[in-house]
Amino acid sequence: MKSPLSTILNITSGSIDGSPIVSRTLSELSESFADRRAYEAALKGGNPVIYTVTPVKPAEGDGQLHYGLGTILPGKIGNEYFLTKGHAHKRREAAEVYIGLKGKGVLLLENIQTGESSMHELGPNSVVYVPGFTAHRTANTGSEPFVYIGIYPADAGHDYEAIGKKNFRSVIIEQNGKPLMVERKDYLDSIKT
């Protein structure tokens, strides 16, 4: 069944009328957080939903677009903000646009050819362009649900496996009440005891 050509975004619930909601729980993000001890301790306390995505695929084929409404709940694992699994596109040259709707977050970008990383704030009325050949992950850096929409080519595909194997080179942590991008290796060295 095809999605309608027009939809209603419910920013409060993080849903799109008539579209399914896909939920990701803490246990499904076992490879995403760098601090394994903090992750295991949090998981012993329960398996909460960390984020949801409501995908809409109006049409398939060349030139068509898909979009999804994402909602990340507030929280942290150790010093790392709640985040998405992150992905690269199967069709590596495919770009994407993210538009912030509610709350505060950041988009972590990593060039899959050079490994260069950058962090971009994403909040209400802001837009971040994700170039082709760029893995990307969102994180909630605020105290309320962070809601955004991503728009991408219908044939882009999502490659979660590549990210799951090597993960992102950088992590987003809270330091002095603000988000900070640090190299994963440096962060891991800093939390060793």
Side-chain angles (χ1 to χ4, degrees):
M1 179 175 139
K2 290 188 177 186
S3 298
L5 296 181
S6 62
T7 57
I8 303 296
L9 302 178
N10 186 328
I11 296 171
T12 302
S13 68
S15 64
I16 298 174
D17 290 354
S19 296
I21 296 176
V22 178
S23 296
R24 296 281 181 240
T25 61
L26 182 59
S27 65
E28 295 173 277
L29 299 171
S30 64
E31 300 303 318
S32 300
F33 293 99
D35 187 340
R36 295 302 303 169
R37 279 185 283 173
Y39 172 79
E40 294 297 334
L43 194 56
K44 285 180 184 175
N47 190 26
V49 170
I50 302 297
Y51 71 96
T52 63
V53 177
T54 305
V56 179
K57 301 175 181 182
E60 299 293 337
D62 290 345
Q64 302 300 321
L65 296 173
H66 289 174
Y67 59 96
L69 185 68
T71 302
I72 308 174
L73 297 174
K76 290 189 302 244
I77 301 297
N79 290 327
E80 296 173 80
Y81 294 101
F82 279 7
L83 47 72
T84 62
K85 282 181 141 180
H87 64 275
H89 291 141
K90 287 184 179 178
R91 189 167 64 81
R92 297 292 196 233
E93 66 274 13
E96 188 165 356
V97 171
Y98 278 72
I99 303 168
L101 300 173
K102 177 184 171 191
K104 289 173 43 178
V106 296
L107 196 56
L108 174 63
L109 304 182
E110 181 176 306
N111 183 299
I112 59 176
Q113 297 169 316
T114 66
E116 183 180 342
S117 299
S118 59
M119 180 182 77
H120 305 268
E121 289 188 17
L122 187 62
N125 308 313
S126 63
V127 177
V128 176
Y129 176 77
V130 180
F133 299 96
T134 304
H136 41 289
R137 162 181 281 163
T138 47
N140 183 339
T141 60
S143 58
E144 66 175 314
F146 169 48
V147 183
Y148 57 91
I149 194 164
I151 305 166
Y152 51 92
D155 63 350
H158 293 81
D159 183 355
Y160 297 101
E161 188 175 325
I163 298 304
K165 286 181 181 174
K166 74 174 193 83
N167 219 316
F168 283 76
R169 183 176 176 176
S170 297
V171 296
I172 305 297
I173 62 168
E174 181 184 50
Q175 187 172 58
N176 300 322
K178 296 183 180 180
L180 177 70
M181 181 181 79
V182 295
E183 293 282 325
R184 180 176 295 273
K185 180 189 172 301
D186 294 342
Y187 179 62
L188 291 173
D189 287 345
S190 75
I191 60 174
K192 285 182 182 174
T193 55

